[in-house]
Amino acid sequence: MIRRFHDAITPAKGTSLARSFSRLGWFGFWTQVALGALPVAVMAYYMLFSRVISNVRTGLAFVEWLAIINLAILAFTLFWSYRYTRLARRIDDPQRRPEEAVVHRAAWTGVVASTIGLGFSTLVLLIESATILFYFLKAPQAGMPVMQTSGVEGLHWVSTVDVLSIVALVFMLIAELIALIFSLWLLFRTTVSSLEYPKPTVL
């Protein structure tokens, strides 16, 4: 059964590895750009306008640092997807073709970076969701007005910006997941025979 599944997903021997790196690299790059634009826009809005709003709900400081690190990892996976396309050109050129170990290592780097980004996105999303849930649980069962209050209660309010940040984190999570899937597939492609790196047939 496992052997049949392996044969079903294994590409043909004449399939180009360079073409796979190029197509998935560009597709992953533009997908992450589209999905990562919302978190960047939310952070830009927060940096530009949160200072002028009084009694803004304050969150945990380390969550903000986690979010910044998460964006940095997303930027790295975005760059790495672009690097896949540059690596594809080198693979396609017999004069500049890197060793198979170099290609394998590049795919592994993408897998590790995407996995770390996925973990950070999940952690930040869980903390933010739990924080908002905690505020709602403290409110009367009839509901909590989504508005800012004065005094101490001003620190325990929820607005549409909070919901927007949750949506942005979900988009970031999807972007990292897509990058991980593509990197895993490219890692698998480096282990099987291709047009550029043929492997002997095992009988």
Side-chain angles (χ1 to χ4, degrees), residues 33-144:
V33 167
L35 294 175
L38 183 57
V40 173
V42 171
M43 178 165 283
Y45 175 84
Y46 175 80
M47 297 294 291
L48 291 175
F49 299 104
S50 63
R51 302 300 181 185
V52 299
I53 302 176
S54 59
N55 292 330
V56 175
R57 179 175 69 85
T58 58
L60 300 176
F62 79 95
V63 176
E64 297 180 0
W65 283 107
L66 286 177
I68 293 174
I69 294 173
N70 195 18
L71 282 176
I73 296 174
L74 180 62
F76 176 81
T77 56
L78 182 67
F79 162 76
W80 208 252
S81 294
Y82 177 76
R83 189 177 185 278
Y84 284 154
T85 64
R86 303 302 93 186
L87 186 60
R89 292 188 175 184
R90 293 177 57 195
I91 296 174
D92 195 43
D93 187 356
Q95 302 296 328
R96 300 192 306 153
R97 183 171 298 161
E99 296 181 1
E100 190 174 0
V102 174
V103 180
H104 191 75
R105 195 182 310 119
W108 258 118
T109 302
V111 170
V112 172
S114 301
T115 302
I116 295 175
L118 199 62
F120 271 97
S121 296
T122 304
L123 181 61
V124 176
L125 182 61
L126 285 175
I127 294 175
E128 285 293 319
S129 301
T131 302
I132 293 178
L133 177 61
F134 174 75
Y135 289 153
F136 273 98
L137 288 177
K138 288 182 62 177
Q141 294 185 2
M144 181 175 70

